[in-house]
RNA sequence: GCGCCAGUAGCUCAGUUGGACAGAGCAACGGAUUUCUAAUCCGUGGGUCAGGGGUUCGAAUCCCUUCUGGCGUGCCA
């Protein structure tokens, strides 16, 4: 926002001075505040072009800016950087804009209503969601919220693998537990079966509704078992996600896709494209022609398709639904299969560049310095529900979204359970609650912002105050870059910084002071806007913004 | 072997897409509460940005290479 203004002013200046220039210079916020509010390398980048030294060029530019009202000072530093300081008055006007926009502050039309599909979690419907899914949930949902806020039409979709091998195993596992309830002794529970306690719960629930399934034929019985298990697990997963404040716009069922004949379609399309052949009684896809390491089997010798085929079919529906961007958020164990999926998309003539893959790295859980091993089949998992019970939704979401996607994440349950200040989410929420508390106090003291005179903004002349306004003004661009880079963790860092700036300000300055109502009003005006910005950020991360703590 | 991702303070991690002396939190140590919430603030110590080469005015960031770790490399999903 402010950067753009400065950039435009620089371009105006260069044109007026009739200088040659390249557009690739940057305007940025320097690390060191002594270097001004903003700095630009414009003179460094364009010195050669004009056959002068960077310093000389910079001086010319400075002269131009010295006459500009919005600028407090403009100077040259180092090898030829230009440092800009803007007038207090400029920031005060911007603060009024923030106030005006209120909860819309930070939003923009940047995305131009482009349609985006975000697919994430897509966990097998064979058990409760685990912490890996929780990370995906927090990440995908936050990214979606941010993208919508900056003007994309973003949709969330969950693909349910409710057909195929692992679902059969689920049904068989359920049957074994069901038999146990009817007095059968199962000596050896097969290792490939699902061992989790939830299967026993499902069996009990099923038995309480339908106790005579053992009299059915095997096919009927297993069909019923499968249907029941799928419905129940699906409900379980939805319930967990609801507790995590994650909702999906669409749930896509693999079974339904298959029923609609999508699998056969894919096979025939690929055949028409001359990309298939038969070998060893199986049908193969010549994916190596499209960059894959080796050819892949589409239909196995036993007549069943591999998981790849419905997955291709699913992705074709994404293309047919005319999205501008397709984003798949996957676990690291899936990166081996993406080349073959992309190969199929190419083979079928779709634009593979539209499909973007984000890999979320694994999570290592620690409990008291000990690593917690997870294994779904062995039933030893820490579920998303466990996590919400133990550390709470807010902390969990913050934690997951504060790390960049392609980095491993270490999660110490012991630490997170402590609810101490080691958990950064409290730090941010506390800033919000603290401001709410001050506003309550002000009300008691009969200091109100109702008839706030904008001239009082002059009183916000402390460096700390101007710095906070500057920080707030970064939000719109920050959200755009977070959306563009698909890196919602930038927002988590941002809001943490902003909260810290407020805490420091609070410790240093008295805000509500009966003896000085005008100063109090101006500071209240500032912090109430900080509160709004904190709330906007927290909301985008799906975290509550408490009035009291 | 090949492919993908990562390697930044004792620990967990940032670093705004190539900018100025590399930053937080935790842990360690020392301070601050007659107060608008101490879930806070202030201060001290802590670094060969895994190693080496290259690109240029300028590299934690880009290229090459070596090392280390994770994952992948099924007619499993």
């Amino acid at each position: 926002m402010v950067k753009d203004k400065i950039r435009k002013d620089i371009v105006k200046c260069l044109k007026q001075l009739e200088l040659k220039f390249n557009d690739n210079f940057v305007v940025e916020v320097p690390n060191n505040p002594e270097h001004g509010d903003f700095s630009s390398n414009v003179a460094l980048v364009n010195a050669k072009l004009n056959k002068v030294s960077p310093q000389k060029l910079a001086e010319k530019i400075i002269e131009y800016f010295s006459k500009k009202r919005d600028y407090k000072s403009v100077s040259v530093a180092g090898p030829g950087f230009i440092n800009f300081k803007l007038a207090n008055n400029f920031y005060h006007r911007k603060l009024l804009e923030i106030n005006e926009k209120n909860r819309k502050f930070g939003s923009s039309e940047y995305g131009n209503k482009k349609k985006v599909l975000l697919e994430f979690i897509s966990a097998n419907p064979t058990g409760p969601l685990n912490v890996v899914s929780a990370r995906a949930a927090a990440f995908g949902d936050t990214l979606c919220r941010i993208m919508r806020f900056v003007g994309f039409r973003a949709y969330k979709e969950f693909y349910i693998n409710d057909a195929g091998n692992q679902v059969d195993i689920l049904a068989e596992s359920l049957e074994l537990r069901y038999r146990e309830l009817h007095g059968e002794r199962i000596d050896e529970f097969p290792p490939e079966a699902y061992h989790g306690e939830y299967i026993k719960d499902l069996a009990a629930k099923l038995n309480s509704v339908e106790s005579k399934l053992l009299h059915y034929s095997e096919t009927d019985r297993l069909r019923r078992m499968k249907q029941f298990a799928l419905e129940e697990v699906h409900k379980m997963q939805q319930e967990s996600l609801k507790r995590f404040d994650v909702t999906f716009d669409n749930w896509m069922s693999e079974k339904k896709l298959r029923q609609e004949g999508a699998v056969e379609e894919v096979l025939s399309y690929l055949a028409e494209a001359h990309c298939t052949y038969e070998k060893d009684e199986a049908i193969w896809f010549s994916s190596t022609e499209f960059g894959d390491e080796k050819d892949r089997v589409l239909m196995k010798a036993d007549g069943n398709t591999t998981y790849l085929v419905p997955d291709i079919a699913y992705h074709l529906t994404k293309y047919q639904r005319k999205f501008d961007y397709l984003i798949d958020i996957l676990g690291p164990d899936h990166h081996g299969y993406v080349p073959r999926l992309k190969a199929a998309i190419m083979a079928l003539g779709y634009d593979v560049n539209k499909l973007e893959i984000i890999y979320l790295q694994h999570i290592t859980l620690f409990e008291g310095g000990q690593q917690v091993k997870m294994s779904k089949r062995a039933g030893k998992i820490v579920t998303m529900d466990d996590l919400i019970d133990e550390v709470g939704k807010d902390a969990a979401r913050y934690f997951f979204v504060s790390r960049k996607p392609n980095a491993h994440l270490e999660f110490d349950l012991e630490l997170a359970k402590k609810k101490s200040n080691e958990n950064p989410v409290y730090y941010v929420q506390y800033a919000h609650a603290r401001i709410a508390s001050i506003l309550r106090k002000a009300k008691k003291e009969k200091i109100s912002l109702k008839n706030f005179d904008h001239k009082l903004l002059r009183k916000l002349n402390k460096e700390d105050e101007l710095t906070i306004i500057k920080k707030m003004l970064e939000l719109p661009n920050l959200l755009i870059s977070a959306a563009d880079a698909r890196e919602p963790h930038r927002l988590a860092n941002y809001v943490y910084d902003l909260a810290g700036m407020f805490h420091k300000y609070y410790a240093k300055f008295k805000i509500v002071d009966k003896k000085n109502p005008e100063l109090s009003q101006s500071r209240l005006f500032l912090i109430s806007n900080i509160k709004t910005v904190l709330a906007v950020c927290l909301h985008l991360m799906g975290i509550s913004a408490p009035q009291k703590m």
Side-chain angles (χ1 to χ4, degrees), chain A residues 157-434:
Chain A
E157 190 161 278
F158 189 124
Y159 177 58
I160 315 171
N161 293 110
D162 51 3
N165 220 345
Q166 79 284 0
V167 184
D168 293 333
I169 296 171
L170 175 70
E172 285 155 23
S173 308
L174 177 60
E175 172 170 324
L176 288 172
R177 294 303 187 197
Y178 189 87
R179 284 179 179 282
E180 276 184 336
L181 287 178
H182 285 261
E184 278 186 43
R185 188 175 296 163
I186 312 292
D187 291 330
E188 245 176 81
F189 213 70
E192 72 274 10
Y194 295 105
H195 290 223
E197 286 297 310
Y198 64 95
I199 302 282
K200 290 181 189 168
D201 299 341
L202 285 185
K205 189 167 180 185
L206 177 59
N207 193 42
S208 69
V209 202
E210 297 174 48
S211 58
K212 300 209 165 62
L213 283 176
L214 292 179
H215 300 297
Y216 287 33
S217 73
E218 192 181 346
T219 33
D220 284 351
R221 188 174 64 238
L222 278 174
R223 188 186 301 142
R224 177 66 192 124
M225 296 263 178
K226 193 195 282 190
Q227 185 201 358
F228 180 82
L230 281 175
E231 277 172 15
E232 289 298 317
V233 172
H234 179 59
K235 266 191 254 173
M236 255 164 56
Q237 293 188 345
Q238 272 183 313
E239 197 53 42
S240 306
L241 288 168
K242 202 174 149 196
R243 291 184 67 200
F244 215 50
D245 270 350
V246 176
T247 54
F248 281 88
D249 299 298
N250 192 27
W251 297 73
M252 181 67 91
S253 157
E254 176 185 350
K255 195 166 68 186
K256 213 169 147 198
L257 269 179
R258 285 176 187 259
Q259 282 163 358
E260 287 165 359
V263 164
E264 290 75 13
E265 264 179 30
V266 165
L267 289 174
S268 64
Y269 288 161
L270 283 171
E272 280 168 32
H274 305 289
C275 298
T276 60
Y277 61 90
E278 257 189 83
K279 195 180 90 181
D280 303 333
E281 294 173 36
I283 298 176
W284 293 70
F285 168 37
S286 49
S287 55
T288 41
E289 289 175 32
F290 303 93
D292 197 8
E293 286 178 351
K294 53 192 260 191
D295 289 350
R296 308 291 171 174
V297 171
L298 294 172
M299 187 179 279
K300 298 183 266 185
D302 67 6
N304 289 314
T305 55
T306 58
Y307 64 91
L308 177 62
V309 184
D311 228 14
I312 296 169
Y314 171 46
H315 279 83
L316 290 193
T317 73
K318 293 187 181 183
Y319 279 94
Q320 284 151 3
R321 286 181 280 161
K322 303 224 183 302
F323 288 97
D324 295 293
Y325 302 97
L326 300 172
I327 302 176
D328 285 10
I329 298 166
L330 302 177
D333 47 335
H334 280 74
H335 70 235
Y337 108 114
V338 166
R340 69 195 79 162
L341 179 64
K342 287 194 168 175
I345 288 164
M346 279 186 258
L348 296 174
Y350 289 94
D351 178 10
V352 77
N353 292 321
K354 259 192 197 175
L355 178 64
E356 217 177 290
I357 314 286
I358 297 171
Y359 299 103
L360 289 178
Q361 291 298 321
H362 274 311
I363 294 165
T364 319
L365 284 178
F366 284 90
E367 182 128 46
Q370 286 281 315
Q371 190 175 340
V372 182
K373 294 264 184 196
M374 287 186 289
S375 158
K376 200 177 218 175
R377 296 249 158 112
K380 279 175 65 182
I381 62 170
V382 177
T383 64
M384 187 160 157
D385 285 320
D386 293 341
L387 191 73
I388 300 172
D389 290 341
E390 285 178 16
V391 307
K393 177 206 67 162
D394 287 342
R397 282 195 68 136
Y398 186 91
F399 208 100
F400 284 133
V401 96
S402 64
R403 262 64 171 169
K404 64 179 163 196
N406 53 8
H408 291 254
L409 194 155
E410 294 205 3
F411 199 120
D412 191 329
L413 289 167
E414 199 84 6
L415 210 66
K417 266 188 271 185
K418 280 186 195 160
K419 294 207 167 190
S420 71
N421 56 353
E422 289 165 41
N423 208 329
V425 68
Y426 293 111
Y427 186 78
V428 178
Q429 287 181 314
Y430 184 49
H432 185 270
R434 213 173 204 183

Side-chain angles (χ1 to χ4, degrees), chain A residues 88-89 91-93 95-97 99-100 449-460 518 521-522 525 529:
Chain A
N88 293 5
N89 176 276
Y91 288 116
H92 296 153
R93 289 203 312 269
L95 181 60
L96 284 173
E97 279 178 32
N99 189 61
E100 197 68 28
L449 287 175
K450 276 223 176 85
N451 300 310
F452 181 66
D453 182 356
H454 294 172
K455 284 180 191 149
L456 293 180
L457 286 171
R458 271 198 327 254
K459 299 199 174 282
L460 296 176
E518 291 196 339
Q521 272 190 314
S522 62
F525 187 79
N529 279 295

Side-chain angles (χ1 to χ4, degrees), chain A residues 491-515:
Chain A
L491 180 58
N493 292 328
Y494 170 84
V495 74
Y496 185 83
D497 286 347
L498 181 62
M501 291 171 101
F502 166 72
H503 284 308
K504 290 175 188 27
Y505 178 63
Y506 168 90
K508 205 164 159 187
F509 298 99
K510 182 93 182 153
I511 291 159
V512 178
D513 181 2
K514 268 190 280 189
K515 282 176 251 163

